[in-house]
Amino acid sequence: MPDESNVLDQLISRIDDDTLRARLVQEVDLLRGSRRFGLVFDRHLPESVRLPDHPIRKGIRVALRDESSTETMTVDRFTDRTREMAVLSGEMGPRHISELIVVREFGEPIYPGLRSVERIENGPADAPWHVVINGENFHALQALRSTHREEVDLIYIDPPYNTGNDGWIYSDRYVDQNDRAKSSKWLSFMERRLLIARDLLKPTGVIIVAIGDEEHHRLRMLLDQIFGDSNFLSDIVWQGGRKNDSRYVSNGADYMLVYARDESAFREIGLRWREKKPGVDEALHTAAEIWSKADGKHEVATAKWRAWLKEFKKQGIASDAVTRFGTLDDQGRPVRTDGNLRSPSPRPNLQYDLLHPATGEPVRMHTNGWRFSQETMTQLVADGLIHFGPDHTTGAGGVVHLESLDSQVAESVFVRDRNPSGRYLADILGESRFPNPKDHEVLMRWFRLVASDDAVILDFFGGSGTTSEAVMRLNAEDGGTRQSILVTNNEVGAKEAKKLRMAGLHPGATEWEATGVFQRVCRPRISTVVTGTRPDGSVYSDGLPTNLEMFDLTYLDPGMVRRGHEFESVAPLMWLEGGASGPRIIEMPDKGWALTDSYGVLFDIDVLSAFADAVTHAATAGVPPSVLFVITDSDAEYQQAVERLPVGIETVQLYEDYLSNYTINITGGAR
């Protein structure tokens, strides 16, 4: 059966000769059935998306906002200079622009801008600004390819798992389990975004992609093709409990596929696969408190410790590696025994009496003797690394102290209960609003391992905002200056969307947008975490000492951009390219130029000398800006500026570079 979204089937359908068309369909079906090796999938037509905020202008493709028809039309002209009544292609009469919504395919150029919707300055002036962008992630990635090409240290994403029940959207339509092309559509969807993601990573950068059973095998092959199988680092298994949707056997596992942008470059900085196990500090502190109140009564202290450990495990905070330390030694330190003191074979020199420290009698020896010589064993006892029972009848075992988990190799398989993350998010929001959020503790764990303490971390499937919270909490914990860039959207779940449409509401309506994941979950969640106050005014916490700004992705008219009328929307992109730190240049000052520690803008070429002198002074002082923007439509004036400015600082011509960048971006080129 032909698939109308498949490019080849579309082209075949245009053939007028019935016999030829039928023969081609037959041959294509044979080719599809004979594929055997590698990841081969039907690349579907570029996705289309409805853009409620995109300006309606001549030549653009639109649809009816109320979704009463799926037909798309082109705006031929406007009836008058007010540009409120559009004359459309086809038989439909003029329509008011409020009735229309722009429809764009992911092969058409778009000109993105950013509009600030919330700015929270709650940290030091020199602290990094965390950025959240609400918008279509493909278009946001295009914008970031301009501002952050090869600047991102770590990408973490948790994309749709394509279970058939998760209601993800392809080409403005929900894809369900009855769609026979759901896997190839999912691969097309992922490939477009991962190709841009690769461009964003530093040579030493890493990408982690969470995935479930349904597409795990296909995703790994896709990542092999995009990043190269030689850059594969790990396939981490996350055992999180039974899955209710399994038909036969449930292993309850999800996965995280980890790739380097360039494994050879990555190897030079070394892997950070050692970590402090979650819960170590709290467990050590509690054990010390219990011991101090036990008056030296070992049995009492151990009983209280085990009771506390049992409750601690239920919270889901500590890893299993921590909760195995169910005994306190004679100094009140949490220990576990590994029992590994038996010699692998009978040896006379390893058979000797090991005296119990309390009774002075020999403890029960293993059949083959001890693993270590008497001299080594004596030293181990002196170091407290041998665990003895209450008396000499119980034998002895090796001891591992909880403190030794401060630097352990990360586990490729780890167990983590998924339920606490849902309860945690409900506590932040004051009610349950989002099913199955990511676990910020898990993300903190992997960010510690893979990213340095000043890394730029990107998540372009941001959902409820867990990644941003994880980065901010990690900074607060260890004093790092990591910066998070989160891209989410205001997508409404399939069930909720159906209810809204039945009520006569459609995308773009105020009531519709209020139920989307950004407005209802992500924005209030991150705002509450940073400020400590929920949107209803109730207190959640003391907040976090960090800076945060949230934006809506907007779509600009290139003509207005070229004439300099959209500086307010382009300014945040310039700030982002400068590192999203410090103040933002939002308008032209009287002197015709502006300079921060991060970037500068020359608005008036006539004041080039003063601008160049200021930049040179900053560079000489050791604080050169990372990028300079020169606003001129003259190539000669731009070259004049480049020659006058210090060597080694990137320069960008506005607005021609901006416009050409997003035209080039549709085919994957560089600025």
Side-chain angles (χ1 to χ4, degrees):
M1 180 183 297
D3 181 352
E4 64 179 12
S5 71
N6 183 270
V7 175
L8 191 56
D9 289 335
Q10 280 251 338
L11 295 175
I12 291 174
S13 70
R14 298 178 187 176
I15 298 173
D16 293 328
D17 187 324
D18 292 342
T19 303
L20 176 59
R21 185 172 64 253
R23 180 65 186 273
L24 285 173
V25 168
Q26 182 182 12
E27 292 298 323
V28 168
D29 284 341
L30 288 172
L31 285 172
R32 285 173 173 159
S34 66
R35 292 170 178 168
R36 290 290 182 270
F37 305 105
L39 181 63
V40 182
F41 60 96
D42 291 334
R43 283 178 170 82
H44 292 265
L45 289 173
E47 301 165 61
S48 62
V49 62
R50 290 174 170 241
L51 304 173
D53 295 329
H54 198 296
I56 294 175
R57 57 181 184 266
K58 182 180 176 180
I60 207 161
R61 195 155 52 96
V62 297
L64 293 179
R65 189 177 288 267
D66 65 7
E67 302 180 287
S68 59
S69 170
T70 58
E71 182 183 1
T72 61
M73 301 142 287
T74 302
V75 177
D76 287 338
R77 58 186 174 85
F78 294 94
T79 59
D80 55 43
R81 296 181 67 181
T82 65
R83 302 173 67 88
E84 292 184 353
M85 296 297 296
V87 178
L88 309 175
S89 62
E91 300 179 359
M92 189 175 294
R95 293 280 185 153
H96 193 276
I97 59 172
S98 63
E99 301 177 67
L100 305 175
I101 189 170
V102 172
V103 178
R104 301 309 296 266
E105 286 188 351
F106 289 2
E108 301 174 288
I110 55 96
Y111 303 95
L114 295 176
R115 179 177 63 241
S116 180
V117 295
E118 187 169 357
R119 181 179 173 89
I120 305 171
E121 191 166 0
N122 205 38
D126 59 350
W129 280 81
H130 303 281
V131 174
V132 178
I133 300 174
N134 169 38
E136 165 52 55
N137 65 0
F138 182 83
H139 293 154
L141 285 169
Q142 283 186 301
L144 291 171
R145 182 157 55 182
S146 171
T147 65
H148 281 75
R149 182 183 289 271
E150 295 191 355
E151 292 294 331
V152 176
D153 296 277
L154 171 65
I155 295 175
Y156 172 87
I157 56 173
D158 190 357
Y161 285 9
N162 202 22
T163 63
N165 298 315
D166 52 2
W168 69 282
I169 293 178
Y170 182 87
S171 198
D172 208 34
R173 292 288 181 273
Y174 287 100
V175 179
D176 61 32
Q177 58 189 352
N178 298 317
D179 190 329
R180 72 179 182 85
K182 73 183 183 76
S183 285
S184 60
K185 286 180 178 177
W186 186 86
L187 288 166
S188 294
F189 170 88
M190 291 298 298
E191 183 183 46
R192 293 186 184 107
R193 289 156 177 81
L194 290 170
L195 285 169
I196 301 179
R198 181 187 60 189
D199 292 342
L200 299 178
L201 283 175
K202 291 179 178 178
T204 54
V206 173
I207 183 169
I208 301 176
V209 187
I211 195 63
D213 292 313
E214 291 77 12
E215 298 292 353
H216 173 269
H217 52 306
R218 297 186 185 93
L219 177 62
R220 179 162 178 179
M221 295 180 72
L222 180 64
L223 290 168
D224 280 347
Q225 290 182 182
I226 292 174
F227 290 91
D229 57 5
S230 63
N231 294 321
F232 168 76
L233 297 182
S234 186
D235 187 358
I236 300 161
V237 181
W238 175 4
Q239 187 75 24
R242 182 181 178 85
K243 290 184 179 179
N244 295 325
D245 59 350
S246 296
R247 289 177 296 171
Y248 303 110
V249 177
S250 174
N251 64 6
D254 286 330
Y255 311 89
M256 290 191 290
L257 289 164
V258 187
Y259 282 75
R261 174 66 180 88
D262 181 345
E263 196 273 340
S264 61
F266 181 77
R267 194 186 314 121
E268 294 178 8
I269 65 170
L271 287 168
R272 302 180 185 88
W273 297 106
R274 292 185 175 273
E275 61 176 338
K276 191 169 188 176
K277 299 293 184 185
V280 168
D281 286 339
E282 187 171 352
L284 289 172
H285 177 73
T286 302
E289 275 194 345
I290 289 174
W291 184 255
S292 67
K293 297 176 182 179
D295 295 327
K297 298 177 181 176
H298 187 272
E299 291 184 6
V300 173
T302 298
K304 288 183 177 180
W305 164 250
R306 288 175 178 171
W308 178 85
L309 201 62
K310 183 178 180 181
E311 293 302 313
F312 188 49
K313 186 174 183 179
K314 291 179 182 178
Q315 298 176 30
I317 296 173
S319 70
D320 275 7
V322 174
T323 56
R324 293 192 188 109
F325 287 77
T327 302
L328 299 179
D329 66 9
D330 57 3
Q331 298 179 47
R333 298 175 299 180
V335 297
R336 66 175 173 83
T337 58
D338 61 14
N340 192 23
L341 290 181
R342 177 176 179 172
S343 172
S345 60
R347 290 173 57 184
N349 64 316
L350 297 181
Q351 297 182 23
Y352 52 83
D353 289 341
L354 180 63
L355 304 182
H356 191 279
T359 66
E361 297 291 329
V363 300
R364 188 175 66 250
M365 185 175 63
H366 297 289
T367 306
N368 291 345
W370 301 109
R371 181 180 180 184
F372 305 106
S373 68
Q374 191 167 8
E375 181 182 2
T376 300
M377 187 71 82
T378 301
Q379 186 60 52
L380 290 173
V381 171
D383 292 341
L385 297 179
I386 302 299
H387 174 71
F388 293 93
D391 56 43
H392 57 276
T393 64
T394 55
V399 166
V400 178
H401 287 87
L402 182 56
E403 291 95 329
S404 67
L405 288 190
D406 280 4
S407 180
Q408 293 291 312
V409 176
E411 300 157 317
S412 60
V413 179
F414 69 101
V415 178
R416 176 74 172 184
D417 185 2
R418 291 176 170 86
N419 293 322
S421 59
R423 295 193 295 268
Y424 175 81
L425 179 56
D427 183 42
I428 294 175
L429 298 173
E431 60 180 335
S432 180
R433 296 185 182 180
F434 190 81
N436 307 316
K438 294 174 241 180
D439 189 320
H440 74 286
E441 294 277 358
V442 170
L443 298 196
M444 287 172 66
R445 173 186 187 183
W446 295 104
F447 296 168
R448 286 188 198 98
L449 288 170
V450 182
S452 63
D453 60 7
D454 61 351
V456 176
I457 299 173
L458 168 67
D459 180 353
F460 54 87
F461 283 98
S464 68
T466 306
T467 297
S468 287
E469 180 180 350
V471 174
M472 292 186 291
R473 289 200 181 280
L474 194 53
N475 283 346
E477 178 184 286
D478 63 11
T481 56
R482 304 168 189 85
Q483 183 181 62
S484 66
I485 302 174
L486 186 102
V487 180
T488 185
N489 59 26
N490 206 35
E491 190 173 289
V492 176
K495 292 182 180 178
E496 185 64 26
K498 184 177 181 180
K499 293 178 183 177
L500 291 170
R501 287 189 171 98
M502 290 178 64
L505 299 172
H506 302 278
T510 302
E511 297 89 339
W512 180 290
E513 299 302 322
T515 63
V517 66
F518 172 69
Q519 292 292 358
R520 182 168 166 77
V521 183
C522 181
R523 181 178 176 181
R525 185 244 185 98
I526 299 176
S527 176
T528 298
V529 167
V530 175
T531 65
T533 304
R534 299 185 182 93
D536 65 4
S538 60
V539 176
Y540 166 68
S541 70
D542 294 331
L544 293 175
T546 193
N547 301 320
L548 165 73
E549 188 160 11
M550 293 186 261
F551 299 90
D552 281 339
L553 186 73
T554 61
Y555 298 88
L556 309 179
D557 183 319
M560 296 290 283
V561 171
R562 188 174 281 109
R563 292 190 291 274
H565 297 320
E566 293 285 9
F567 183 80
E568 184 179 355
S569 296
V570 177
L573 292 172
M574 299 159 64
W575 177 69
L576 273 175
E577 190 162 356
S581 62
R584 181 158 68 247
I585 301 168
I586 58 176
E587 60 183 1
M588 182 178 75
D590 292 337
K591 61 184 178 182
W593 58 272
L595 184 66
T596 74
D597 289 344
S598 303
Y599 73 108
V601 183
L602 176 62
F603 294 87
D604 185 351
I605 197 69
D606 291 338
V607 294
L608 171 59
S609 292
F611 180 66
D613 288 345
V615 174
T616 301
H617 178 74
T620 304
V623 285
S626 59
V627 60
L628 301 171
F629 298 91
V630 179
I631 300 179
T632 177
D633 58 3
S634 167
D635 290 341
E637 289 180 346
Y638 175 65
Q639 287 303 318
Q640 178 188 355
V642 170
E643 292 170 4
R644 182 71 174 76
L645 294 167
V647 175
I649 300 177
E650 182 185 1
T651 58
V652 177
Q653 182 184 1
L654 291 180
Y655 291 95
E656 199 54 45
D657 272 9
Y658 167 86
L659 295 171
S660 63
N661 182 62
Y662 293 107
T663 303
I664 293 170
N665 257 348
I666 65 171
T667 55
R671 185 178 61 205

